[in-house]
Amino acid sequence: MLIVQRLRGILLTALTWALPWAAVGGATVVAFDWLARAPGFHTLTSVEFAWGLFLDGARFFALVGAVAGALFAGVVAVAERRRTFATLNTGRMVVWGALSGAALPLLVGIGAVLTGAPSMLRDLFLAGIGASLGAGSAAVMLRIARRAMPRSEVPPSIEDDDSVHLAEAALEVELTLSPRGNVTTLAADKRG
C-alpha cells in the first residue's frame, strides 16, 4: 500500500508541475521567437503560427515539467522522508526543486555534446529556466501543503529554518552559574 501511495504522490506531483510549466514554456517560446526576429520584423506572421509555437513550447515544457516533478517527488520522498510538511525547510525544498528542474536539460546537453553537438548553450539556457521553474514550483507546493494543514501543525515562523522555535514554546530559561562558570541550576518555566 505504501508503494501505491508513493507512486500516486509522484504522479500527482508530475502532473502538478507539468501544467504551469506548459503555460510558462509556451509563452516563453512565443516571446523568444518574437525577440529573435530581425529588427523591423517583430510582428508574428499570423495568429495560427503563434498558437502553433505556443502549443509546441507547451508540449515540450509540460514533458520536462512532468519529469522534473517526478524527480523532485522521488528525491524529497527519499531525502526528507523523516520530516512532515511542517518541519520541511523551504530553502532545502527550493534547492531540490531547482536541481530537479535543471537535471533533464543538463543531461540532454551533456549527451548532445558527447555525441558531437558543437555547443550546449541552448541546453544551459533551458537548464536555467528549468531551475527557476523548479525552485518556484517547489516553494509553491510546500506553501500549498502547509496551508492545507491544520493550524496547530503549521510552524510559527515564516523563516522556516531547522532551529527550535522558542516563540512557539514560550520558554523562559534561567541559569545559575557557580563561581567557576559551571551551570548549577537550570529552571524552565513555560509561559502562556
Side-chain angles (χ1 to χ4, degrees), residues 30-141:
V30 171
F32 277 103
D33 181 70
W34 182 75
L35 292 172
R37 296 191 180 271
F41 294 99
H42 287 296
T43 58
L44 291 170
T45 55
S46 71
V47 173
E48 292 84 18
F49 179 72
W51 183 246
L53 279 177
F54 179 83
L55 291 177
D56 288 344
R59 275 190 291 261
F60 173 76
F61 274 91
L63 177 65
V64 174
V67 170
L71 181 62
F72 171 77
V75 166
V76 169
V78 171
E80 307 289 345
R81 68 182 168 269
R82 288 184 171 52
R83 297 180 181 266
T84 64
F85 286 122
T87 60
L88 285 173
N89 185 309
T90 303
R92 286 172 54 112
M93 293 292 284
V94 166
V95 169
W96 289 132
L99 290 174
S100 298
L104 185 62
L106 285 177
L107 289 174
V108 168
I110 290 169
V113 168
L114 291 176
T115 59
S119 170
M120 64 181 268
L121 186 61
R122 177 185 58 116
D123 297 312
L124 287 175
F125 179 74
L126 289 174
I129 292 174
S132 300
L133 287 170
S137 297
V140 167
M141 282 192 72

Side-chain angles (χ1 to χ4, degrees), residues 138-162:
V140 167
M141 282 192 72
L142 183 59
R143 183 141 180 126
I144 290 170
R146 284 185 177 163
R147 286 187 135 207
M149 292 171 35
R151 233 24 199 154
S152 62
E153 295 179 27
V154 177
S157 174
I158 195 72
E159 294 162 15
D160 181 46
D161 60 1
D162 287 333

